[in-house]
Amino acid sequence: MGKNTKTANVSRRELLGAAAMGVAVPYFIPSGVLAAPGRVGPNDKINVALIGANGQGNYDLGEVLQYPDVVARAVCDVAEARRNKTIADKCKDAKGYHDYREVLARKDIDAVIIATSPHWHAKMCVDAAEAGKDFYCEKPMTLHLAESLAVKRAAEKHQRVTQVGTQVHASKNFHKIVDVIRCGALGPISTVRCFHVLNQGKKGIGQAPDTDPPKGVDWDFWLGPAPKRPFNELLFRDSYHHPSFMISGGWTPGMAPHVIDLPFWALELGVPPMTSSAGGRYVIEDCGDAYDFHQVTWQYPKFTLTWWTSLINNYAYNTVLQASTKAVGRRRGIFFHGLKGTLIADYDYLSIWPEGEKVLDDFKPEDAPQSVPDSPGHHREWLDCIRSRSQPSCNVSYHHKLDAAIALSMLSLELGRSIRYDPVAEKIIGDPEASRRARPVYREPWKFPDQYVPEL
């Protein structure tokens, strides 16, 4: 994956301290820096477990099981039918579990995939780290600032190999865009605009009544640390429907991790010092309760990053991104605005628009020198690092920076005001109410891991 000689004599403490301040650090930390227990032998299988056996979790499990050095030992889900189907379809010798804590207690499990609904992610990541398990966590990593800090600090303390499920991070297109941005061809970049739009229409995801949960579903355990609420079939269904409900944070935590990952990576951004956001539920009338429009501004010294998500208009981005004009399907994009030109990007799209015909001197993306190592694939990268005890490129210490930015945007939306943050001290500045609300109150008997975040 490429050798980085600059860090050969750098201590782990120095690396992690630099990361906390938003300073660029290598994406693959040498094994001598991250010496950790639980090494998988060169001829050993990597024993994995899945926690959350629905659409995305089954996809992740399938991705790791394509490799002969991986075996699934356990599948956990509070819905009996889901876990049984996953075992039958993908790993017939795996044992099924209802309670994830029983999985973490197994000494033969090396690593876990956490793909539950988002409100569980932080608690499960911390518990996995404390149990000595490496983990792959689907996005959003967390929903609250204190949760993001807790996951980062727990993973660092217990020296876990981690990867967050922003799979496009490993794509050749994203890697090439990072190369183009870092080579300086666009000149100074003062603004990046990111978006996700999906016109669901006034009816949104539709209506479904609150009911008793079906047989074989432990709804109370599904809710876990979240506030108690009735079962709803659409909320329970899958990750497309979760963002229509605030229990999962809406579409900003749902999609922004994929999209804003690119500017955070290419520009090596830290947690933003100032976050402002606005939005609400303007048009949609479905059984959900999340916003249908949300706009965010993250302010840095001499740089602005923006995000917006809309479920009620496609903003003509089908034309900009050369997509079909006949459908109103999902659109995503990132606009890097530099002094010499604008780079427009999507998962598999890259286009440069010069500020004048000769400004870029016929620059082509392939002219940019490689700045980051190639990836063998997002899941394979994690598996390789479990063996080497190095860190994948989207480990939680890296991903925390954009995860915290998203959490701050949700806090700003909730409070209706801007939030100032000190990324070095890792504390909110001058707003006791915001500091208090940045730490979720878990429903009994679940406890927030306060030991990792004594104060904000």
Side-chain angles (χ1 to χ4, degrees):
M1 295 182 188
K3 183 178 180 181
N4 192 316
T5 58
K6 290 177 64 178
T7 60
N9 298 311
V10 180
S11 73
R12 179 177 179 273
R13 176 177 295 179
E14 289 170 328
L15 281 168
L16 298 178
M21 293 186 287
V23 176
V25 297
Y27 291 108
F28 295 89
I29 299 175
S31 57
V33 175
L34 189 64
R39 179 184 292 272
V40 177
N43 299 316
D44 294 339
K45 299 279 190 178
I46 300 174
N47 296 316
V48 302
L50 172 64
I51 304 173
N54 203 13
Q56 193 62 34
N58 289 333
Y59 163 78
D60 291 327
L61 183 62
E63 287 294 296
V64 301
L65 287 181
Q66 70 177 298
Y67 301 109
D69 61 336
V70 178
V71 60
R73 297 294 185 190
V75 174
C76 180
D77 200 286
V78 298
E80 182 179 11
R82 286 181 178 175
R83 67 175 180 263
N84 288 345
K85 186 176 190 310
T86 296
I87 291 171
D89 291 347
K90 295 183 179 295
C91 46
K92 291 181 172 58
D93 294 330
K95 184 177 179 180
Y97 291 88
H98 169 274
D99 188 331
Y100 76 96
R101 293 169 295 186
E102 294 182 66
V103 175
L104 297 181
R106 282 183 55 169
K107 296 188 182 302
D108 63 331
I109 300 294
D110 301 307
V112 296
I113 298 168
I114 298 169
T116 61
S117 51
H119 66 277
W120 261 115
H121 289 179
K123 173 65 174 165
M124 289 181 175
C125 285
V126 170
D127 287 351
E130 291 182 339
K133 311 302 182 189
D134 298 326
F135 62 86
Y136 181 107
C137 180
E138 268 303 330
K139 54 81 192 168
M141 187 174 87
T142 72
L143 295 175
H144 302 273
L145 176 63
E147 289 183 325
S148 192
L149 287 165
V151 170
K152 178 178 80 78
R153 292 170 181 175
E156 292 171 356
K157 177 181 178 180
H158 298 284
Q159 301 177 17
R160 294 298 92 206
V161 174
T162 63
Q163 183 86 305
V164 179
T166 52
Q167 293 85 12
V168 71
H169 187 93
S171 71
K172 290 183 179 180
N173 189 53
F174 264 34
H175 279 233
K176 177 49 63 179
I177 292 166
V178 172
D179 294 340
V180 171
I181 297 302
R182 290 188 179 179
C183 82
L186 297 180
I189 295 175
S190 58
T191 309
V192 176
R193 306 182 189 278
C194 305
F195 67 88
H196 162 263
V197 292
L198 171 64
N199 193 333
Q200 290 184 330
K202 190 172 183 179
K203 293 182 179 180
I205 60 169
Q207 297 289 341
D210 292 340
T211 64
D212 292 332
K215 184 179 179 181
V217 174
D218 186 340
W219 181 244
D220 188 71
F221 209 134
W222 189 93
L223 288 171
K228 192 170 182 63
R229 60 148 293 151
F231 175 86
N232 186 281
E233 187 275 330
L234 289 177
L235 169 59
F236 182 67
R237 184 178 294 179
D238 55 37
S239 57
Y240 172 80
H241 290 81
H242 289 164
S244 291
F245 298 84
M246 284 306 292
I247 188 175
S248 296
W251 277 102
T252 292
M255 279 302 297
H258 287 304
V259 182
I260 71 171
D261 175 54
L262 189 53
F264 268 85
W265 186 17
L267 296 169
E268 300 175 286
L269 301 175
V271 181
M274 179 74 77
T275 302
S276 305
S277 71
R281 178 168 274 238
Y282 298 153
V283 175
I284 287 181
E285 297 175 357
D286 59 21
C287 65
D289 60 359
Y291 47 87
D292 55 26
F293 177 80
H294 184 211
Q295 181 165 303
V296 184
T297 299
W298 290 293
Q299 189 62 53
Y300 295 83
K302 297 185 178 181
F303 174 75
T304 299
L305 174 64
T306 70
W307 158 264
W308 65 93
T309 184
S310 172
L311 301 181
I312 50 180
N313 189 281
N314 266 283
Y315 292 86
Y317 285 129
N318 51 349
T319 302
V320 177
L321 295 175
Q322 299 180 358
S324 169
T325 59
K326 296 180 180 179
V328 289
R330 185 181 301 177
R331 313 272 187 254
R332 307 156 304 259
I334 307 104
F335 287 60
F336 290 86
H337 297 292
L339 184 64
K340 297 182 179 180
T342 292
L343 185 152
I344 303 175
D346 192 3
Y347 290 180
D348 55 1
Y349 181 82
L350 191 173
S351 178
I352 296 176
W353 295 68
E355 292 285 307
E357 291 184 6
K358 301 298 183 182
V359 172
L360 287 172
D361 297 324
D362 299 320
F363 172 82
K364 296 179 178 61
E366 53 268 29
D367 296 335
Q370 185 176 22
S371 63
V372 290
D374 294 333
S375 172
H378 206 61
H379 296 84
R380 184 68 250 181
E381 192 178 303
W382 177 56
L383 297 170
D384 289 346
C385 288
I386 288 173
R387 292 192 180 279
S388 67
R389 306 314 298 170
S390 57
Q391 285 291 359
S393 60
C394 205
N395 64 80
V396 300
S397 293
Y398 159 76
H399 188 82
H400 158 73
K401 293 176 282 190
L402 60 106
D403 186 64
I406 293 168
L408 286 165
S409 80
M410 300 311 301
L411 185 59
S412 173
L413 180 65
E414 177 186 349
L415 294 175
R417 60 178 178 267
S418 298
I419 307 295
R420 296 173 62 224
Y421 186 74
D422 184 335
V424 177
E426 297 185 321
K427 292 180 182 178
I428 291 172
I429 301 172
D431 193 333
E433 182 183 14
S435 296
R436 185 175 67 254
R437 294 201 191 186
R439 182 190 307 269
V441 177
Y442 285 178
R443 185 171 65 101
E444 294 290 344
W446 306 102
K447 303 292 185 184
F448 180 81
D450 288 310
Q451 67 272 26
Y452 296 102
V453 194
E455 58 180 344
L456 270 174

